Amino acid sequence: MILDDFVSFDEKGLYCKYGDFYIDPQLPVKTAVISHAHADHAISGNNNVYCTRATASIMQLRYDRTAAKVFNIAAFNQPFEVGRVTVTLIPAGHMLGSAQILMEYEGARYLYTGDYKLQPDATCEPIEWVTTDVLITESTFANPAVIHPDPVSEIRKINDIKSNILLGAYALGKSQRLINLITEHAPQKKILVHHKIMPINAIYEKMGFHPGKYQIYGRKLMKVQDEFVYIVPPFTFDSYIRATGVKRLFASGWKNLQVNNQDTLFISDHVDWNDILQTIANTKPKQVWTLHGKGEHLKAYFKDDIFVKILN
Ligand SMILES: [Zn+2]
Ligand SMILES: [Zn+2]
């Protein structure tokens, strides 16, 4: 039987009272199950954290001693108990170590997707499918108007750019995926990375995921026009707003983060509308509960077929 109150929001985040834990809490809690290491999901200061090894490594890099009191490292597809709930982490395909959180309680299955994507990405574990009674999905781009273009065609656009490129991207996940895509699909480009991205690359490599060919940025390197692509985090990208002699691009699924209407690079690590429909087809839920976004489109689309509840 599906319990309508299996998870609910309070001021600290999404809470499961049957297991007495929070999922990706927004404030420090006693027990947290964390889907992946992006800062909007993985905060510091929790007591007891359940997550994958990669997520723990990245949290330790970012937060050092305050990362968590105790890390309980869970391997993918290995069930464990939290309170009275059986929890299993399933690869989500979003970034290295990212997990969907399958929760089983009294015969019902609840699958929290976290952030996830279906597009191939050589820098993380590919998404895996399990069936569920309730799909608790992020719905950032759950709008029929949002269809992400093919990332390979997108990255190939940089082959036509002959000047050096300043490429803005989130340091964690997106930067490694871009290094990989450029190495594969624009191999003549020389990739330089900002120093803040280097320790993250090191964790990826330690876990056996080598993003590709790159070197650390040096001031003298970009003095000449020579197929350089310099990958920088958003803050640095914004501070170079008046940079001359470079083409500026920002890699994102969001229209409003693109530099302008001409210079676009639509590469997203989230599902688009078609991917969400595919996910629902694959996981076969009786109910869909939506988070972070646009649940109303799914509600209208499935009308009487699948019960859709907007959690937030
Ligand atoms: Zn994320
Ligand atoms: Zn997120």
Side-chain angles (χ1 to χ4, degrees):
M1 194 187 61
I2 292 169
L3 299 168
D4 198 47
D5 62 352
F6 185 71
V7 291
S8 57
F9 271 98
D10 66 22
E11 70 286 351
K12 291 176 181 160
L14 189 60
Y15 179 62
C16 174
K17 67 176 176 186
Y18 299 95
D20 191 19
F21 60 87
Y22 283 83
I23 302 165
D24 294 346
Q26 302 301 302
L27 290 171
V29 298
K30 187 161 66 67
T31 307
V33 182
I34 292 184
S35 65
H36 69 290
H38 279 148
D40 54 330
H41 297 258
I43 61 158
S44 64
N46 295 301
N47 248 7
N48 216 356
V49 169
Y50 293 84
C51 65
T52 62
R53 177 157 314 279
T55 297
S57 298
I58 297 162
M59 287 177 73
Q60 281 160 336
L61 168 71
R62 183 185 292 138
Y63 302 131
D64 199 13
R65 277 151 192 256
T66 62
K69 234 178 215 138
V70 179
F71 276 108
N72 304 274
I73 305 299
F76 285 122
N77 300 308
Q78 296 291 323
F80 55 94
E81 307 295 319
V82 184
R84 291 174 289 149
V85 176
T86 303
V87 178
T88 312
L89 301 184
I90 314 283
H94 172 65
M95 59 163 284
L96 184 68
S98 65
Q100 307 173 71
I101 300 169
L102 175 66
M103 296 162 281
E104 293 171 275
Y105 181 72
E106 292 192 342
R109 291 157 69 86
Y110 307 81
L111 181 66
Y112 168 88
T113 62
D115 292 345
Y116 64 112
K117 77 168 175 293
L118 279 59
Q119 290 180 351
D121 178 354
T123 63
C124 69
E125 309 85 354
I127 189 166
E128 289 180 22
W129 300 110
V130 293
T131 56
T132 188
D133 297 303
V134 177
L135 180 73
I136 306 166
T137 180
E138 67 131 332
S139 53
T140 313
F141 292 112
N143 182 332
V146 181
I147 303 296
H148 298 319
D150 171 38
V152 173
S153 330
E154 282 298 285
I155 205 72
R156 283 194 176 137
K157 295 195 304 200
I158 71 168
N159 284 313
D160 300 330
I161 300 172
K162 293 308 166 199
S163 61
N164 291 337
I165 297 170
L166 184 73
L167 177 53
Y170 289 108
L172 176 56
K174 184 61 66 66
S175 291
Q176 293 72 34
R177 189 180 182 203
L178 288 169
I179 292 169
N180 182 262
L181 285 169
I182 296 167
T183 305
E184 293 289 315
H185 303 287
Q188 79 286 5
K189 295 289 180 193
K190 298 173 184 170
I191 303 169
L192 306 174
V193 306
H194 190 266
H195 65 91
K196 287 216 167 102
I197 297 171
M198 294 296 281
I200 301 168
N201 287 2
I203 291 177
Y204 270 65
E205 283 157 11
K206 214 175 91 192
M207 307 286 300
F209 289 81
H210 292 261
K213 224 171 56 189
Y214 64 89
Q215 64 181 112
I216 188 167
Y217 170 78
R219 205 172 276 271
K220 286 189 184 133
L221 284 166
M222 292 225 306
K223 291 257 153 62
V224 287
Q225 293 292 343
D226 186 21
E227 304 265 15
F228 284 115
V229 180
Y230 178 24
I231 303 179
V232 297
F235 179 79
T236 311
F237 186 75
D238 292 341
S239 73
Y240 277 120
I241 195 145
R242 278 181 241 283
T244 52
V246 291
K247 175 72 105 182
R248 295 169 80 252
L249 293 170
F250 194 88
S252 172
W254 292 102
K255 217 177 237 158
N256 60 343
L257 292 182
Q258 304 297 326
V259 171
N260 57 48
N261 290 336
Q262 285 76 46
D263 304 318
T264 60
L265 195 58
F266 283 99
I267 296 182
S268 174
D269 295 316
H270 293 266
V271 284
D272 66 6
W273 176 252
N274 289 336
D275 293 337
I276 295 180
L277 297 187
Q278 185 65 54
T279 300
I280 292 169
N282 291 0
T283 57
K284 302 181 173 63
K286 298 181 182 81
Q287 298 191 7
V288 175
W289 300 354
T290 67
L291 296 168
H292 318 301
K294 306 244 173 290
E296 68 269 19
H297 295 290
L298 287 169
K299 208 178 170 93
Y301 182 84
F302 285 108
K303 274 195 223 78
D304 306 322
D305 298 336
I306 300 176
F307 175 76
V308 176
K309 179 167 85 171
I310 297 170
L311 281 180
N312 99 347

